[in-house]
């Protein structure tokens, strides 16, 4: 039998750091942080138990290892490559009239900053322009989204735990302006975004679980390379499409959720 303790910081960084500090001295066989901020907190706290993370956008850039092939900080796991080219191609298919994209993200999340930079670099190669607004906490999201929605034709949310926790406010502001929200995770679509292109969370979890099993069986963390998952899923919201009067493809190219 396996016992699990689940700890959730609810998007609050001070709570996250407190949890990480507790984990440092707790008696666990394995720590499994999900996404970048939690993984950084656990690695920076120097927990003694092996760490297998799920869904860290750029493990090397986030400082949780020096080399994907040779984990050196007692942490390994899965990376979710963010296909910004594919989400904006989908955006131009679903909403061909968009000209300006608003990028909304938390300036304190490494994964969000890296994804936003990737998005801007891609948009620079297209006919689309962009405006960006950053927030420091989820408390700032509603006002930021309202401000942005008045100036752009669509809003894009990178991989970002802070903004994701306040997605209903983003969607409310976008709906009021009659514009779509494009996300980077199916959870965002479940919270009202129109669409996302992402690695399957199930795939990320399953591969990290396989790594965790190997480590619990005695394999050293340093001998379990981190892996970038690159099999993408296209997910759209039927409810968001109906609200915005957008026709979704019926050719099976996207997964439609209610």
């Amino acid at each position: 039998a396996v016992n699990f303790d689940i700890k959730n910081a609810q998007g609050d960084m001070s709570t996250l750091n407190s949890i990480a500090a507790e984990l440092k001295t707790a008696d666990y066989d394995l720590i499994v942080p999900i996404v970048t901020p939690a993984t950084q907190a656990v690695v920076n706290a120097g927990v003694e138990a092996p760490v297998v993370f799920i869904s860290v956008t750029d493990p090397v850039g986030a400082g949780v290892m020096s080399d994907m092939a040779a984990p050196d900080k007692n942490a390994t796991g899965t990376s979710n490559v963010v296909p910004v080219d594919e989400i904006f191609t989908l955006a131009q298919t679903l909403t061909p009239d968009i000209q300006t994209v608003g990028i909304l993200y938390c300036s304190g999340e490494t994964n969000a900053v890296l994804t936003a930079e990737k998005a801007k670099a891609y948009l620079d190669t297209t006919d689309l322009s962009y405006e960006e607004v950053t927030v420091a906490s989820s408390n700032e999201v509603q006002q930021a989204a309202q401000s942005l929605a008045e100036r752009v034709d669509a809003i894009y949310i990178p991989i970002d735990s802070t903004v994701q926790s306040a997605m209903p406010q983003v969607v409310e502001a976008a709906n009021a302006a009659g514009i779509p929200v494009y996300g980077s995770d199916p959870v965002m679509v479940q919270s009202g975004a129109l669409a996302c292109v992402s690695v399957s969370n199930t795939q990320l979890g399953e591969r990290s679980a396989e790594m965790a099993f190997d480590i619990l069986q005695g394999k050293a963390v340093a001998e379990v390379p981190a892996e970038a998952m690159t099999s993408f899923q296209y997910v759209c919201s039927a409810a968001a499409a109906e609200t915005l009067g957008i026709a979704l493809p019926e050719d099976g190219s996207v997964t439609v959720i209610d």
Side-chain angles (χ1 to χ4, degrees):
V2 178
N3 293 322
F4 299 95
D5 281 350
I6 298 174
K7 300 179 184 294
N8 191 337
Q10 304 289 350
D12 184 274
M13 294 305 293
S14 60
T15 304
L16 182 58
N17 289 328
S18 296
I19 292 172
E22 292 171 10
L23 293 175
K24 182 177 182 179
T25 55
D27 185 22
Y28 289 110
D29 297 309
L30 189 81
I31 307 293
V32 183
I34 300 175
V35 303
T36 303
T39 304
Q40 287 176 310
V42 167
V43 170
N44 291 341
V47 299
E48 293 183 8
V51 174
V52 177
F53 54 78
I54 301 174
S55 193
V56 171
T57 305
D58 183 349
V60 174
V64 299
M65 58 180 54
S66 302
D67 184 345
M68 293 273 285
D72 56 351
K73 297 185 180 180
N74 195 37
T76 190
T78 52
S79 168
N80 55 332
V81 173
V82 183
V84 293
D85 52 343
E86 299 199 31
I87 186 62
F88 291 121
T89 300
L90 179 62
Q92 289 181 291
T93 300
L94 297 179
T95 48
D97 294 333
I98 64 172
Q99 295 179 322
T100 304
V101 176
I103 305 174
L104 175 60
Y105 63 100
C106 174
S107 56
E109 285 200 35
T110 303
N111 45 325
V113 173
L114 290 168
T115 311
E117 292 299 327
K118 192 174 176 182
K120 289 185 288 183
Y122 174 76
L123 288 170
D124 282 338
T125 71
T126 72
D127 294 332
L128 297 172
S129 60
Y130 60 83
E131 289 196 31
E132 62 179 323
V133 173
T134 62
V135 297
S137 72
S138 55
N139 296 332
E140 299 175 9
V141 170
Q142 184 170 13
Q143 186 174 356
Q146 288 171 342
S147 167
L148 196 55
E150 295 170 358
R151 310 196 303 273
V152 299
D153 303 314
I155 293 176
Y156 171 63
I157 310 298
I159 293 281
D160 190 318
S161 305
T162 303
V163 178
Q164 181 170 300
S165 67
M167 276 301 290
Q169 287 97 309
V170 178
V171 172
E172 183 180 356
N175 284 346
I179 65 172
V181 176
Y182 289 98
S184 47
D185 189 286
V187 174
M188 295 184 184
V189 179
Q190 290 167 352
S191 299
L194 175 63
C196 75
V197 182
S198 70
V199 174
S200 160
N201 287 330
T202 301
Q203 183 189 23
L204 289 161
E206 286 177 349
R207 186 66 195 105
S208 287
E210 290 166 357
M211 295 176 181
F213 179 79
D214 288 344
I215 290 167
L216 289 171
Q217 293 298 305
K219 201 165 188 177
V221 174
E223 296 175 3
V224 181
E227 291 184 25
M229 307 279 101
T230 55
S231 178
F232 303 127
Q233 58 178 352
Y234 296 70
V235 180
C236 297
S237 164
E242 184 177 352
T243 298
L244 297 167
I246 293 167
L248 297 177
E250 297 181 2
D251 58 3
S253 60
V254 302
T255 299
V256 180
I257 61 175
D258 292 331

